[in-house]
Amino acid sequence: MTSRPRHTGRKTIIGALLSAAAAATALSGCGAPPPGATPAPAGPTPSLSTLGETPQQLAGGWQVVAAGDRVLDRTRNAYVALTMPRGGVIDPTGSRYATDSGQLSIVEVAGGKTTKVDRVVRLGSPVDPWSADGARLVATINRKDPYAVGFAVIDAATGKFTEHWLDRTKYDCSNCAFVFTRDGKEVAMAIPDRSQGEAAELVRSVQLFDAGTGEPTRSLPVKAMPQSPFAWSPDGRQIVANPDILKEGDQVLVDTTTGEARPFPYPAVWATADTLLAKFDDGVLTLRPDGTVVADASLAAPLSAPLVLGPPAS
């Protein structure tokens, strides 16, 4: 399962961010402001709320679709018990989960129908293998003779899959994990930067492939790996991504056209064009693209970590 950030004192973190912003404002000028000058406004105080037994909507209509041993039943608008094996990865709609222990299995939450996939695959870690609509999975595949690495796109309803092999002379990889773009038309893979050896798993660029044909489509000057389809902004122009795959906590916000990047405080998903959500063991933060925290929703019983966030039902 994709590991999630662990923070035990979000109020301390938020306070530290606001203090850092205030310090930066103070350092941007030299000396005290002139008499009569209006001081710069402080950053907004995040609104506080609680996520508990009654399902709540977050920014853009997003919701917590799974939390600990509870999953959102949209037909009843209630959280119900879920027993999922260790290593299971639930989809963004909360209707299915997948496990790759020995053999890939896709299980319907309602009713427990299980679809076995007759192929040994590896669900990418720490990336989310599900498409944004929860209809497909992308997984890493290997072949021994002749040796090859590639990806399989799997229909979650039927278990049918297509295999696509990489030309390793052109598209090298280390972690060899794949993630869908937000629109599901392509899958992305990090091209490694091995300049720091085994001390880091840096990214030189991001290569995209057609999710249907496996053909290479474009290369992005992005030196970081997106972790989920929702790491891409709705217009595809920005992504929240990880510059060092071995250090999951480090994130940057990257312009996909220019490659220009700046630090971003949390692993996050885009809920709307101007709002992101970051999940923690004790709740969810709502952020602006500049990293400002505008809302803080804490978990309450029966919800607990780990969390899965999902968009509104289509």
Side-chain angles (χ1 to χ4, degrees):
M1 178 179 291
T2 301
S3 60
R4 284 150 171 98
R6 305 186 67 87
H7 295 272
T8 56
R10 269 172 32 253
K11 291 183 174 62
T12 301
I13 295 171
I14 294 169
L17 284 173
L18 296 177
S19 298
T25 301
L27 291 173
S28 64
C30 297
T38 302
T45 300
S47 63
L48 304 178
S49 62
T50 300
L51 300 171
E53 186 172 3
T54 302
Q56 304 291 327
Q57 290 197 348
L58 301 164
W62 278 57
Q63 291 182 287
V64 173
V65 299
D69 61 355
R70 294 289 189 275
V71 65
L72 176 62
D73 183 334
R74 293 184 187 271
T75 61
R76 296 165 53 187
N77 192 36
Y79 289 106
V80 298
L82 170 67
T83 301
M84 187 171 65
R86 184 177 179 85
V89 184
I90 199 160
D91 84 320
T93 70
S95 60
R96 301 183 179 99
Y97 65 84
T99 63
D100 63 352
S101 301
Q103 182 183 29
L104 179 64
S105 298
I106 303 168
V107 182
E108 302 285 342
V109 171
K113 176 187 174 183
T114 301
T115 300
K116 300 283 188 179
V117 178
D118 189 22
R119 181 68 166 90
V120 177
V121 303
R122 175 174 63 85
L123 299 180
S125 178
V127 303
D128 186 343
W130 288 100
S131 60
D133 60 3
R136 292 171 295 159
L137 287 152
V138 62
T140 304
I141 54 176
N142 294 280
R143 185 178 63 203
K144 290 184 177 180
D145 189 21
Y147 178 74
V149 175
F151 64 92
V153 174
I154 303 145
D155 184 295
T158 66
K160 294 181 179 180
F161 60 89
T162 55
E163 297 181 346
H164 308 288
W165 301 102
L166 303 182
D167 181 345
R168 295 295 296 277
T169 64
K170 296 179 180 178
Y171 307 109
D172 187 19
C173 61
S174 293
N175 182 265
C176 299
F178 299 86
V179 63
F180 282 104
T181 53
R182 194 181 186 106
D183 62 11
K185 295 179 179 179
E186 298 167 288
V187 298
M189 181 191 79
I191 302 297
D193 170 3
R194 298 192 176 94
S195 60
Q196 295 190 27
E198 296 182 358
E201 187 70 41
L202 303 181
V203 178
R204 178 163 56 87
S205 62
V206 171
Q207 177 64 44
L208 299 178
F209 302 90
D210 187 289
T213 67
E215 292 296 314
T217 55
R218 53 195 172 124
S219 177
L220 303 179
V222 173
K223 298 182 183 299
M225 179 64 178
Q227 306 294 290
S228 104
F230 300 109
W232 306 74
S233 61
D235 62 7
R237 295 181 179 178
Q238 298 181 88
I239 57 173
V240 177
N242 187 353
D244 184 346
I245 298 173
L246 297 182
K247 298 178 181 178
E248 189 178 346
D250 294 341
Q251 300 290 312
V252 290
L253 186 65
V254 192
D255 184 303
T256 58
T257 300
T258 66
E260 181 180 355
R262 58 179 175 81
F264 198 74
Y266 308 99
V269 295
W270 291 82
T272 69
D274 57 4
T275 309
L276 298 94
L277 298 171
K279 57 191 177 184
F280 292 95
D281 283 353
D282 57 348
V284 181
L285 299 179
T286 303
L287 305 100
R288 294 174 180 165
D290 65 2
T292 301
V293 176
V294 296
D296 177 4
S298 299
L299 293 184
L303 304 187
S304 62
L307 301 180
V308 176
L309 301 177
S314 57

